[in-house]
Amino acid sequence: MPRDITLLWGLRSPCAFACRHCYFGTVEEHRANLPSLPGVLSHISRNDLPAEAMTAFARTLADSPVARVVIAGGEPLDWPGALDLIATIKSAGCEVVIATNGVPLTRPGIAERIVVLGVDGVSVSLDSADPATNDRLRPSRSGRFGHSDVLDGIRTLLRARGQQARPRVGIYTVVMRHGPHEITDVARLGADLGVDYYVPQPISLAPTHKLFTELTHTVADAGAVAEQLGRLADDPLGLAIPDQDYMRRFVAAISTHASGHVTDCFGGAQLFFIQPDGSLWDCPSDRRIAATAPSQRRTIAGADARTLFDGRPACTDCSHFSRDCVNMWPLALGMPRLLDPETA
Ligand SMILES: C[S@@+](CC[C@H](N)C(=O)[O-])C[C@H]1O[C@@H](n2cnc3c(N)ncnc32)[C@H](O)[C@@H]1O
Ligand code: SF4
């Protein structure tokens, strides 16, 4: 059976950060009004899948069409069971990439264990090269952690890796309206730190989000973003970066708020999204999830990855192309380029 599926697995809902734009919303808002619609994420979750059910599913990944699992959250490395689960996924022969806010990498033993487990990539989120700006956008809930801890986490992991090939270490930056220059500024910082890859991603917020106007690009911002992406592509500073197709989609996506049509999408074909309660979706796009009929809803609870994806199409036509989708491109199609730049 060909292994060509990437799973984006949001392991757990909680997080010690309170990023203003987070897909999981804010604890404060959800304390007053916990969302209950399918696919709507919250750091307050009463329904995260029990660890045993996660392990049972992970054991079935061997001999399944799943090639790669991107571990996200919430903050996956804040959950004590994460590294054992990753060990199970690695034993099943899957590539593993961890998406983290970076702070857990500073805790004793975490970086070393990630190296020993043979994790293939670690993507650390950093939204500004400027400490104060980053910590305003990505504050920790306690106020005790921020930019310098994230940089410490990256350095700790690079040190633990030493001369070994894995994990490749990268930075993900959510590009917001205020700062197209962050695209090249964070690349410079990443190159100085010695990371291997770098992915700028467009901010994606629902039009009803209270920060939509402040943070979301308008068509008038597209030129400055395109210029910065062009500068990055011309001189990636030795970093592996997404390809030109991604850069084009980035600019196209921020140039409109309407949904676009994609004729050969990987969502529901080569990419699937597991949310912390175990729900399985074609992709994390809120538009596509909202358009999923109740009869098509699925879960990994009690499921077997060797049969769960039977009958999936080679690709799907989708009318919900948005900024969300751009963020999935590097996961679904671009990861080999980021993890093995010689394949670029
Ligand atoms: C939800 S986080 C989970 C993993 C981990 N806690 C972290 O921050 O990397 C995964 C990625 O989504 C990004 N992200 C969160 N909300 C976003 C939004 N509204 N638009 C675009 N990216 C977003 C984060 O910055 C991070 O790079
Ligand atoms: S660290 Fe990640 S999961 Fe936590 S609030 Fe920030 S973006 Fe969301």
Side-chain angles (χ1 to χ4, degrees), residues 15 19 21-24 71-76 99-102 123-127 138 172-174 201-205 324 327:
C15 182
C19 305
H21 56 285
C22 183
Y23 293 126
F24 281 68
I71 302 282
E75 175 46 51
T100 174
N101 63 37
S123 304
V124 179
S125 295
L126 194 70
D127 290 349
R138 300 183 58 86
Y172 267 59
T173 294
V174 177
Q201 337 178 250
I203 178 117
S204 172
L205 294 175
D324 266 355
N327 297 340

Side-chain angles (χ1 to χ4, degrees), residues 4-331:
D4 60 353
I5 289 180
T6 296
L7 293 181
L8 172 61
W9 191 350
L11 286 194
R12 278 289 180 267
S13 299
C15 182
F17 271 58
C19 305
R20 299 170 77 215
H21 56 285
C22 183
Y23 293 126
F24 281 68
T26 68
V27 168
E28 288 65 35
E29 277 166 357
H30 291 173
R31 268 207 195 102
N33 193 5
L34 194 60
S36 56
L37 282 173
V40 180
L41 302 164
S42 172
H43 289 306
I44 306 176
S45 174
R46 304 191 183 110
N47 303 317
D48 283 7
L49 207 57
E52 308 75 57
M54 298 163 82
T55 307
F57 176 72
R59 288 204 179 109
T60 69
L61 290 168
D63 303 319
S64 81
V66 176
R68 179 182 308 117
V69 182
V70 179
I71 302 282
E75 175 46 51
L77 295 178
D78 281 348
W79 178 51
L83 293 176
D84 286 346
L85 186 74
I86 287 169
T88 305
I89 299 170
K90 283 297 297 178
S91 308
C94 298
E95 194 172 81
V96 169
V97 177
I98 302 173
T100 174
N101 63 37
V103 175
L105 299 170
T106 62
R107 292 187 201 127
I110 300 275
E112 290 74 10
R113 179 110 195 267
I114 286 172
V115 175
V116 168
L117 286 173
V119 168
D120 299 275
V122 177
S123 304
V124 179
S125 295
L126 194 70
D127 290 349
S128 175
D130 173 58
T133 305
N134 181 75
D135 295 351
R136 186 173 55 77
L137 299 167
R138 300 183 58 86
S140 63
R141 292 177 57 71
S142 67
R144 288 170 43 220
F145 303 104
H147 196 270
S148 63
D149 304 281
V150 178
L151 267 45
D152 276 355
I154 292 172
R155 290 191 190 101
T156 304
L157 182 58
L158 289 169
R159 227 178 3 254
R161 179 185 74 180
Q163 297 306 309
Q164 299 172 75
R166 290 287 196 254
R168 302 269 295 172
V169 181
I171 293 180
Y172 267 59
T173 294
V174 177
V175 182
M176 308 179 202
R177 236 193 130 182
H178 73 270
H181 58 86
E182 301 288 8
I183 292 171
T184 46
D185 289 355
V186 180
R188 165 66 56 200
L189 175 61
D192 290 347
L193 285 165
V195 305
D196 306 297
Y197 62 91
Y198 173 56
V199 180
Q201 337 178 250
I203 178 117
S204 172
L205 294 175
T208 49
H209 194 287
K210 66 175 184 220
L211 299 173
F212 180 82
T213 309
E214 180 188 336
L215 300 183
T216 306
H217 300 97
T218 67
V219 66
D221 304 311
V225 171
E227 195 213 323
Q228 287 289 323
L229 291 174
R231 283 180 53 193
L232 177 66
D234 288 347
D235 182 9
L237 305 168
L239 302 167
I241 58 168
D243 65 10
Q244 286 295 343
D245 190 37
Y246 172 85
M247 306 297 190
R248 268 194 299 277
R249 285 179 199 270
F250 190 134
V251 176
I254 65 166
S255 301
T256 175
H257 294 303
S259 291
H261 184 76
V262 182
T263 48
D264 54 355
C265 187
F266 42 69
Q270 281 92 42
L271 176 79
F272 293 84
F273 170 56
I274 303 168
Q275 75 177 74
D277 69 2
S279 304
L280 177 75
W281 305 100
D282 284 353
C283 80
S285 158
D286 55 357
R287 298 183 196 196
R288 184 136 165 180
I289 287 176
T292 305
S295 61
Q296 293 174 322
R297 289 185 198 150
R298 296 191 290 171
T299 174
I300 63 163
D304 187 323
R306 289 165 294 194
T307 52
L308 186 60
F309 307 99
D310 284 358
R312 71 195 156 98
C315 60
T316 54
D317 282 359
C318 183
S319 300
H320 306 287
F321 177 74
S322 71
R323 297 153 198 237
D324 266 355
C325 312
V326 179
N327 297 340
M328 294 307 117
W329 241 266
L331 301 185

